[in-house]
Amino acid sequence: MRVFRFLPAFSLFLVVSSFAQSTPSQLAFNPDAIDKAIDPCVDFYQYACGTWLKSTEIPADQTEWVSFTELYERNLVTLHDILEKAAAGGEERSAIDKKIGDFYGACVDEKAAEAKGAAPLQPYLDRVNAAKDKGALIEAIAYVHVHGPNPLFNFYSNSDLHNAGEVIAYIDQGGLTLPDRDYYLKTDQRSLDLRKNYEQHVANMFELLGKSLNTTWDSKAKAAAVLKFETALAEASMDRVLRRNPESRNHPMTTKDLPDLTPNFQWTAFISDEHTPSFTKINVGNPDFFKKLAGIIEQTSLDDLKTYLTWRLLLRSASALPPLFVQENFQFFGKTLNGQQEIAPRWKRCVRATDRALGEALGQKFVEVAFSGPAKAKALQLVDEIEKSMKQDIETASWMSQATKQQAYAKLAAVSNKIGYPEQWRDYSSVIIKPDDYLGDEERAAAFEVRRNLNKIGNRVDKSEWGMTPPTVNAYYSPPQNNINFPAGILQPPFYNPKADDAVNLGAIGVVVGHELTHGFDDQGRKYDGAGNLQDWWTAEDTKSFEARAECVVNEYDQFSPVDGVKLKGKLTLGENAADNGGIHLAYMALMRDLAGKTIPNTKLDGLTPRQQFFLGFAQVWCENATDANSRVRAITDPHSPGQFRTNGVVQNMKEFQQAFGCQAGDPMVSVQACRVW
Ligand SMILES: [Zn+2]
């Protein structure tokens, strides 16, 4: 998965078990989750998770509950403890404690938010309202950009697609509030209803804002203007499936080309107002979007443009405003859109907010209590084993020519690994955090990140930087950096237990490592070379073979339906499905090498062989209950398949699984046309 600030990264794995009490050898799977009435060859997911699914409810403040959510919740408690102590301490606190403590303390102070009303937002709104014409509005757009809510489009820095060591400027489509362009464009009843709800929500927020600022305005008209403007942006946007192909986002230009795209947008003024280092090189993610943007700006009145900018500021600030705003925001985004029954307690929201705003300061404290040095060494050793498997996998790929294999080996050898946390912590000393100004704290922290990102333009890429904070329960592969990254948050039981058998860890974190490594060679990753450049290193024949194999995976997952009337998009989920299918093979190969060396006793646990335990461990990562609403949002936006299909979609392709459980031809878990990429 690629990670940067505009794309929420999300991808996970895990082995369930009551980790605190278990002995290491029991950690591979949770016998209590199994439904023994189900034949594993008929529905392996129901077999592995059936009892868990029936006995586990989605907590009211969640939209889904996956077996590994426990670990995430445990990390939240650890962070909560750190932050409560930091917030309570006096003047003798360390600089970091003061920063995170004051931020968190300001966030949890609901009474202060109530007393201030929307007044803290006023100076930001004034900047927007001061513009006398569309030309003067450029400064306001640049200003709102820096403060986080990305109006109209995205502007940021990233590594050059063709010279991965260098950071250049990017502009790309953006500016939407709903999770995908589809939400604005689809005409089925559910989509129409949702848009009506969204419009009402925007009107309600403007109504609250007007009351709080003692201003009267037509909130309904404002909401209609926002929806109309965002719908026009959605119409100009490229769809998510097309965007997965890095080539469709590859449009190197210079700043001189920008006026040709959007003649009525003053790019020179905008870039100057962003105070970036000077530059000429820029990649335009979707030139067509910027061409259409000219017409959209032309057709939208100055007042409506201001309304849209006000909406983006209001949206960004909702969590820092009085409880009525917070509730209204939750009613739409939590309840209506995702089916969440209750808002999470304020402390949880504030822990997450601190992680987002000052993640490497909070993370520094987190690793002190939750991550040990030996864990890092052992994790590196495991990664090494999985990389050995990948080499073996490439060697035995019958469909790949020697020429392409040589390139693949070179790319694999160039993969680097980052474990735990950054070697150099981010310095937040320039971010002013005031204990009584939560909205201001949020805005200043957001501006710090935007400035930090933009200031990289023209510099060399710093590969030591992390795209996730240390407590994050997740992992990622970065194609331009060709590295795999495992934050401390995921390197804990039950994902990873330094005291457990290798077999146990292979079934859990080993599959995660395999998944991330496979991303380097999935339909997106394979387009980058070992240096991280977008460059084709495949022979034409091998590309054809790869695509035919990938097509099999697309067709397989196209058939899966997570909720009535909804099918998965095989093309949207292809990269993740390929990584799931490949990752488990890599971990399994490492298990076989280990078993051959007899370092793992070949004993049965609960009547199950080590091979069966391995597959159970894998499946039980994915035991998952989700609201229907959440399943619908994810089917449109999430490149990952739901747990049920991450499990069954994989094992039905695997003869190693079928052998382990004695499945026969004709069983549902034995695919007639088994797919295999890696
Ligand atoms: Zn992934």
Side-chain angles (χ1 to χ4, degrees), residues 77-156:
V77 171
T78 305
L79 296 171
H80 183 207
D81 192 46
I82 291 168
L83 287 168
E84 284 288 340
K85 281 182 190 142
E91 279 314 305
E92 71 286 357
R93 285 177 296 173
S94 70
I96 286 180
D97 276 347
K98 189 163 162 34
K99 193 131 302 187
I100 58 176
D102 286 351
F103 184 95
Y104 174 80
C107 177
V108 289
D109 192 350
E110 197 171 65
K111 278 193 187 125
E114 174 79 74
K116 287 178 183 181
L121 194 55
Q122 189 67 60
Y124 301 91
L125 302 178
D126 289 346
R127 290 287 285 258
V128 171
N129 289 326
K132 297 268 183 291
D133 54 44
K134 287 183 186 176
L137 202 62
I138 298 287
E139 200 209 340
I141 293 171
Y143 178 78
V144 178
H145 252 276
V146 172
H147 290 81
N150 302 312
L152 283 84
F153 55 85
N154 293 325
F155 174 58
Y156 57 97

Side-chain angles (χ1 to χ4, degrees), residues 1 10-13 475-477 515-516 519 575-576 579-580 640 646:
M1 131 182 65
F10 197 76
S11 134
L12 284 163
F13 316 72
Y476 69 97
Y477 170 79
H515 172 104
E516 298 307 338
H519 273 319
E576 297 301 333
D580 281 346
H640 305 87
R646 290 190 85 154

Side-chain angles (χ1 to χ4, degrees), residues 240-251:
R240 210 172 270 272
V241 169
L242 203 54
R243 283 181 64 77
R244 287 195 65 254
N245 184 349
E247 274 140 13
S248 45
R249 289 176 271 118
N250 170 32
H251 306 282

Side-chain angles (χ1 to χ4, degrees), residues 502-517:
D502 283 352
V504 174
N505 282 324
L506 281 171
I509 196 76
V511 177
V512 180
V513 175
H515 172 104
E516 298 307 338
L517 190 58

Side-chain angles (χ1 to χ4, degrees), residues 622-674:
W622 297 117
C623 301
E624 169 191 303
N625 283 323
T627 64
D628 281 0
N630 177 267
S631 297
R632 285 176 202 284
V633 173
R634 281 168 54 193
I636 292 172
T637 59
D638 193 346
H640 305 87
S641 302
Q644 180 186 355
F645 307 113
R646 290 190 85 154
T647 305
N648 287 351
V650 165
V651 298
Q652 69 184 43
N653 289 326
M654 264 185 107
K655 66 175 187 326
E656 294 84 348
F657 163 79
Q658 292 141 13
Q659 283 160 1
F661 284 91
C663 306
Q664 305 294 325
D667 286 341
M669 293 295 105
V670 181
S671 180
V672 182
Q673 277 193 308

